[in-house]
Amino acid sequence: MNNNILSPEVQAFIRQHAHEDASSIALKKSPFVQVSSSELAQQVNGWQKVSTKVREWLEQGSVLYYPEKLNLEQCSSARTGKFKASLLSPNSTVLDLTGGFGVDSYYFAQQAKKVIHCEINPELSQIVTHNLSELGVDNVQFHTGDGIAFLISSDKEFDYIYADPSRRVKNQKVFRLEDCEPNILAYQPLFFEHSDTLITKLAPLLDISGALNVLPHVKDVYVISIENDCKELLFVQHKSFQGIPRIHAVRLSTEDEPGIFSFNYVQEKEATPVLGEPTNFLYDPDVAITKAGAFKSVATVFNLQKLHQHSHLYTRDHLIPEFPGRVFQIQQVVPFSVFKKNVDITKANIIAKNFPLKVDDIRRKFKIKDGGEDYLYFTTLFDDRHVIIYGKRVV
């Protein structure tokens, strides 16, 4: 950590060039003797990342230090950090086993009595210590070193142990639990020796059912999305829990309260939605719903008809404003065979679900540009007819 970066003149340079291409700054000669151009580029890139993920840190006017780009890739956003903190009991103690850039520890500290931030990278630990101090956080204790080794040597118990295992090992992205670092499967007995509740953040691409087969005592799974983009999976384990895990599809927005759809896989298996023709409105569930696997449950809860067993699109003759996803007023339903002969749309948003052609193939085939207010859903109905549903977004 180069403390010269914290000087007023260097900080002024970073703010002045905050919206420029960081790579171009790296190629130019640095105006500062004790701060290289690559270090300036790193700080500008970090400012840009934090401005999109944790904007409120910048709004406080604190003098922050940004680590290497890799350390910022896996860090949480403000919205996901706040949601995770909402799962904690007030005045609790939290061990952040893989602290990283400290975003989660920062939000845990807003709810918990004490947080211990473990980080194996000495420079990153130093950076986080500086940043959280600048941000006025005084209830986080910092441990520089391996979180697992810290836990092995500790005789203390914690209300929560939180882990966000690294999904990049030897410069390769990994997704399986046993390939991440640390391997949380190998340390389950150790975790439960020190806490009754474990919270683990895992990759959005992870197979939820597979993880449930190997992780014991999972009580809740949270599938978190922001603007229809799946960001995180959270597995909450309680030492004494032996029941059926509850799955929560969580949609975070700029509003205070998240949208949450909860179910379990027994309910999903037993649900029997009605299949039907498109009527007045088309319902396309949020990615949190589909990643969670609530394909039939969302239909039965909202009394929707499913277009096809595998299409995961739904319809109803009247509007349901609280539906967890996008809603479209159907303008027209066109058989694919007719659409091929009578295409007069040159620009539209195209979605393909349970359809033999991919979106890029459809665009090339019919020369349709992306964008505009029109939406074309290429899909398959329950009787295996290929159709295009033309709709207008209901906001």
Side-chain angles (χ1 to χ4, degrees):
M1 180 173 172
N2 183 356
N3 287 317
N4 293 293
I5 288 174
L6 304 175
S7 66
E9 57 270 21
V10 175
Q11 289 295 304
F13 177 92
I14 294 168
R15 289 192 297 272
Q16 182 182 352
H17 297 82
H19 299 287
E20 295 182 15
D21 180 17
S23 60
S24 67
I25 293 174
L27 296 174
K28 297 177 183 177
K29 183 179 179 181
S30 170
F32 308 104
V33 175
Q34 295 177 307
V35 180
S36 68
S37 56
S38 61
E39 288 176 315
L40 290 174
Q42 176 178 307
Q43 295 306 301
V44 168
N45 178 74
W47 187 97
Q48 293 169 351
K49 290 283 187 183
V50 169
S51 70
T52 60
K53 286 193 168 188
V54 204
R55 184 72 188 182
E56 64 186 71
W57 282 13
L58 303 181
E59 293 171 349
Q60 295 186 36
S62 303
V63 180
L64 303 180
Y65 195 106
Y66 305 106
E68 294 180 0
K69 183 178 180 180
L70 185 62
N71 299 135
L72 294 170
E73 286 184 355
Q74 194 171 315
C75 77
S76 298
S77 67
R79 281 186 270 184
T80 59
K82 288 177 182 176
F83 177 77
K84 278 174 280 193
S86 73
L87 302 178
L88 307 181
S89 299
N91 299 315
S92 54
T93 56
V94 182
L95 174 63
D96 189 345
L97 197 69
T98 51
F101 187 50
V103 174
D104 287 320
S105 283
Y106 171 84
Y107 287 105
F108 290 157
Q110 315 304 310
Q111 178 80 351
K113 179 181 179 181
K114 180 181 179 181
V115 178
I116 298 178
H117 174 279
C118 297
E119 175 49 50
I120 197 169
N121 182 329
E123 182 177 21
L124 184 57
S125 183
Q126 185 182 10
I127 290 170
V128 177
T129 302
H130 163 80
N131 286 347
L132 295 198
S133 176
E134 276 286 310
L135 293 165
V137 178
D138 59 5
N139 60 334
V140 176
Q141 175 185 326
F142 301 94
H143 171 74
T144 302
D146 180 32
I148 297 293
F150 173 85
L151 199 57
I152 291 173
S153 63
S154 175
D155 59 359
K156 296 180 180 179
E157 292 187 359
F158 307 92
D159 294 312
Y160 303 92
I161 292 178
Y162 172 73
D164 179 8
S166 175
R167 299 186 288 275
R168 186 178 288 275
V169 179
K170 296 179 181 179
N171 294 322
Q172 297 290 325
K173 284 189 176 182
V174 296
F175 304 101
R176 298 191 310 167
L177 284 176
E178 57 268 35
D179 294 333
C180 296
E181 291 184 352
N183 178 356
I184 62 167
L185 294 180
Y187 294 105
Q188 291 290 303
L190 174 67
F191 296 157
F192 281 121
E193 284 179 18
H194 293 271
S195 181
D196 288 343
T197 307
L198 315 179
I199 303 176
T200 307
K201 170 185 169 182
L202 296 172
L205 291 178
L206 183 78
D207 176 61
I208 296 174
S209 296
L212 289 175
N213 287 334
V214 294
L215 284 174
H217 310 302
V218 177
K219 183 179 181 182
D220 296 281
V221 178
Y222 295 89
V223 183
I224 303 175
S225 73
I226 297 176
E227 296 173 359
N228 205 28
D229 183 12
C230 190
K231 296 295 186 181
E232 297 181 7
L233 301 182
L234 288 182
F235 285 73
V236 181
Q237 299 165 260
H238 289 272
K239 189 175 183 178
S240 60
F241 184 76
Q242 298 293 340
I244 300 170
R246 194 82 173 146
I247 316 297
H248 311 273
V250 181
R251 292 161 291 114
L252 300 181
S253 65
T254 54
E255 301 173 1
D256 292 336
E257 293 296 324
I260 302 178
F261 180 88
S262 301
F263 70 108
N264 65 51
Y265 286 144
V266 173
Q267 294 171 329
E268 173 65 18
K269 184 178 180 180
E270 294 176 350
T272 53
V274 175
L275 302 180
E277 296 272 352
T279 55
N280 293 336
F281 291 93
L282 179 71
Y283 293 86
D284 185 2
D286 186 89
V287 67
I289 298 288
T290 54
K291 174 61 184 179
F295 306 119
K296 296 189 293 183
S297 299
V298 74
T300 54
V301 167
F302 290 97
N303 194 22
L304 301 169
Q305 290 187 329
K306 212 169 184 293
L307 298 189
H308 186 281
Q309 181 182 356
H310 303 298
S311 291
H312 309 320
L313 291 170
Y314 310 84
T315 189
R316 195 166 175 180
D317 56 4
H318 65 271
L319 179 64
I320 306 172
E322 63 272 22
F323 176 77
R326 298 187 297 180
V327 183
F328 301 85
Q329 188 159 21
I330 296 176
Q331 308 295 310
Q332 192 176 8
V333 179
V334 182
F336 182 57
S337 57
V338 175
F339 184 83
K340 287 192 292 186
K341 300 174 183 177
N342 299 280
V343 176
D344 58 359
I345 295 177
T346 58
K347 187 175 184 180
N349 301 280
I350 294 177
I351 300 95
K353 289 197 173 188
N354 190 23
F355 196 78
L357 295 178
K358 296 181 179 180
V359 171
D360 289 342
D361 298 327
I362 293 169
R363 290 199 181 284
R364 283 194 296 268
K365 184 179 182 68
F366 299 108
K367 297 181 174 57
I368 301 175
K369 296 180 180 179
D370 186 29
E373 297 182 356
D374 294 327
Y375 285 79
L376 298 177
Y377 274 81
F378 287 69
T379 190
T380 305
L381 299 185
F382 64 90
D383 56 2
D384 293 330
R385 281 179 293 143
H386 297 317
V387 300
I388 295 87
I389 301 174
Y390 168 40
K392 294 282 189 181
R393 180 83 182 269
V394 177
V395 181

